[in-house]
Amino acid sequence: MTIDAVPDGRSAGRVVDPYRSGALREPTRAPVAVGGDPEAVELYGPVFGTTEVTSLDADLTRRHLAEPHGERITVSGRVLDRAGRPVRGQLVEIWQANASGRYAHQRDQHPAPLDPNFTGTGRCLTDADGGYAFTTIRPGAYPWGNHENAWRPAHIHFSLFGRAFTQRLVTQMYFPGDPLLAYDPILHTVSDAAARARLVAAYDPELSVCDWSLGYRWDIVLDGPSATLPDPEATR
Amino acid sequence: MTAPIPGPAPVPGPAPVPGPASAPGPASVPGSASVPGPASVPGSASVPGPASVPGVASTPGPTPSQTVGPFYGYALPFPGGGEVAPSGDATAITVHGYVYDGAGEPVPDALLEFWQAAPDGSLVPRPGSWRRDPASGAFLARDGLDFTGFGRVPTGADGHWTLRTLPPPPTAPYLSICLFARGLSGHLFTRAYVEGLGGERELKGLAGDRAETLLARREGAGVFRFDVRLQGEGETVFLSFDR
Ligand SMILES: [Fe+2]
């Protein structure tokens, strides 16, 4: 995949509409730098453990009496810090629309069917290699009120914790080849094309499960400084 | 569900990661081949690069944030998310407030996360912010015993949130807050300095004449008020941790 996978709207013959919901919410003043306080609590962060995740949490297709509708997929990758080190044993949470593009949320009034066999939430802890994996279905696109004919490209919402609170990340994973990527105001809140491309998963047949699911790979790099502590996993 | 599932094990190990063995991970990230790495991301130039870690190949730039959107509500909040203090602890404090937008309207769909040191100054991260029912997988409350330092609270329809926690220590007399909302392209960091713990001077140094926006004011015995104004007059000071 090249960075052209997520062109800006101009190359698609139009300008991407702005993300309107931010007009009264995005701060107008620049953030204040905390500076080099080595005692800042944000250089540390919350951790999660075995009480917080169950073994079924990573399979979104097994929460109900029957299988959900949709194209079954496996989404897998690694969580790294900005030095390339794996982020081990940390919490990954996801949520998504069903195959028809409808969230199991009462404020989602898009007239597409709810699926009684799909809720759309998952979580897991990263393994010793920083790896995570979910089994789910490919979410549908859905319309939203940002502008006329605004449809969100298919996406999965991700929430991640690193070693430090500074590395906290909530983001969205997209699918390769989606024509809606070029028009999406939310994806284009990221101004840099190379950075946008990092939000698009890669189709990876190595991750596909034979006669069962299509594989997508998506690695995640968390930014932000952390306290320089010895890695407890490294000495175990 | 009783049918045998031919699906994968819940978490496949490291084995299926393709790519050169000498480059763990990065090579498989979309776009990484043609992207010149972190330097292409604004603000990252001053960051000590991947080269500072011996034996680790160059890493692609950081994954950008995207808005939390309007529908996180069935995924992220959990029972007892705002009950950080162990149950019955007589020293617990309540910190509460509203989130307002640039028109002064309350924000009914914001999510606030809290992180702080324990009253004795310790910052040893401890799991256990929530527990699960092993039979149903349902979310149970905390165990009421351990102090994990982590809280997560969505605002209500009136834009209001409440946190019950232990007072932070005088050495770090603040609650660190990470705020998410529809309309924000990324999260916002801020701090609520709890009045009366000696942090007022540090606060002045950090935020100057806007320091008041970071002060959780004492309203009554053990109750403190902290409003967040996302935009406009009295805009809350938001923080960055690089540069
Ligand atoms: Fe969404």
Side-chain angles (χ1 to χ4, degrees):
Chain A
M1 169 156 322
T2 70
I3 60 172
D4 294 322
V6 191
D8 62 33
R10 284 172 212 283
S11 56
R14 62 196 298 280
V15 175
V16 178
D17 290 85
Y19 178 32
R20 292 193 325 186
S21 306
L24 284 171
R25 293 187 169 192
E26 291 279 11
T28 56
R29 307 187 63 153
V32 171
V34 170
D37 176 9
E39 305 294 316
V41 306
E42 293 88 353
L43 298 176
Y44 304 77
V47 297
F48 302 88
T50 51
T51 67
E52 288 159 312
V53 172
T54 75
S55 55
L56 275 181
D57 285 355
D59 189 341
L60 287 71
T61 69
R62 294 177 64 183
R63 301 286 176 70
H64 300 278
L65 290 176
E67 292 278 342
H69 289 286
E71 185 180 301
R72 195 181 297 107
I73 61 174
T74 301
V75 179
S76 181
R78 297 176 75 212
V79 184
L80 307 171
D81 68 13
R82 64 188 184 188
R85 296 175 296 201
V87 173
R88 301 179 169 117
Q90 259 301 17
L91 184 67
V92 182
E93 298 164 282
I94 66 171
W95 69 104
Q96 63 168 90
N98 68 22
S100 303
R102 179 90 181 260
Y103 285 91
H105 188 296
Q106 66 176 4
R107 289 192 59 201
D108 184 359
Q109 292 298 309
H110 173 39
L114 287 165
D115 184 341
N117 292 312
F118 191 75
T119 303
T121 65
R123 61 190 64 74
C124 70
L125 299 178
T126 54
D127 64 21
D129 206 36
Y132 73 88
F134 291 102
T135 301
T136 182
I137 51 92
R138 182 181 173 123
Y142 57 84
W144 60 308
N146 195 70
H147 57 272
E148 193 180 345
N149 285 327
W151 286 70
R152 292 299 327 278
H155 61 276
I156 299 177
H157 295 265
F158 271 73
S159 161
L160 300 121
F161 290 84
R163 286 188 186 81
F165 207 42
T166 61
Q167 296 170 346
R168 189 80 179 86
L169 178 67
V170 166
T171 187
Q172 302 180 27
M173 185 206 91
Y174 299 89
F175 290 84
D178 189 333
L180 294 170
L181 295 177
Y183 301 88
D184 184 39
I186 289 180
L187 176 57
H188 284 78
T189 58
V190 178
S191 57
D192 178 58
R196 286 199 296 276
R198 293 197 289 273
L199 293 174
V200 183
Y203 170 62
D204 186 347
E206 300 259 340
L207 289 175
S208 296
V209 179
C210 190
D211 296 335
W212 181 250
S213 69
L214 284 165
Y216 288 90
R217 170 170 306 284
W218 191 51
D219 292 342
I220 299 156
V221 178
L222 304 181
D223 204 4
S226 62
T228 46
L229 289 175
D231 185 342
E233 298 285 340
T235 55
R236 227 169 243 177
Chain B
M1 175 148 208
T2 52
I5 302 296
V11 180
V17 178
S22 61
S28 63
V29 173
S32 64
S34 52
V35 173
S40 65
V41 175
S44 66
S46 61
V47 169
S52 63
V53 176
V56 176
S58 74
T59 305
T63 306
S65 292
Q66 293 271 268
T67 185
V68 76
F71 299 135
Y72 64 83
Y74 66 100
L76 300 183
F78 57 92
E83 296 290 322
V84 181
S87 32
D89 193 310
T91 66
I93 60 172
T94 298
V95 186
H96 75 108
Y98 291 83
V99 179
Y100 297 108
D101 70 12
E105 295 295 321
V107 175
D109 51 6
L111 180 73
L112 293 92
E113 287 184 346
F114 301 89
W115 168 243
Q116 64 169 102
D120 66 0
S122 65
L123 248 178
V124 181
R126 187 179 295 208
S129 290
W130 61 84
R131 291 180 308 134
R132 305 289 295 279
D133 183 319
S136 67
F139 283 78
L140 305 170
R142 298 170 191 252
D143 68 5
L145 184 65
D146 282 332
F147 179 78
T148 69
F150 176 69
R152 181 185 268 176
V153 186
T155 54
D158 55 356
H160 186 253
W161 56 271
T162 306
L163 183 80
R164 271 191 69 262
T165 188
L166 298 180
T171 50
Y174 53 88
L175 315 179
S176 183
I177 299 174
C178 186
L179 186 148
F180 305 88
R182 175 181 63 84
L184 294 178
S185 55
H187 52 266
L188 300 171
F189 284 113
T190 188
R191 286 176 177 175
Y193 281 79
V194 177
E195 186 172 12
L197 294 181
E200 281 81 354
R201 199 160 148 224
E202 174 183 331
L203 185 49
K204 258 294 192 261
L206 182 62
D209 59 1
R210 299 171 65 203
E212 281 200 4
T213 70
L214 299 185
L215 187 64
R217 290 189 177 283
R218 199 182 137 119
E219 278 189 333
V223 180
F224 299 84
R225 171 75 176 266
F226 185 77
D227 293 340
V228 176
R229 287 182 172 75
L230 294 175
Q231 196 186 81
E233 197 180 327
E235 183 174 309
T236 298
V237 169
F238 297 104
L239 303 172
S240 71
F241 295 94
D242 267 322
R243 283 164 283 177

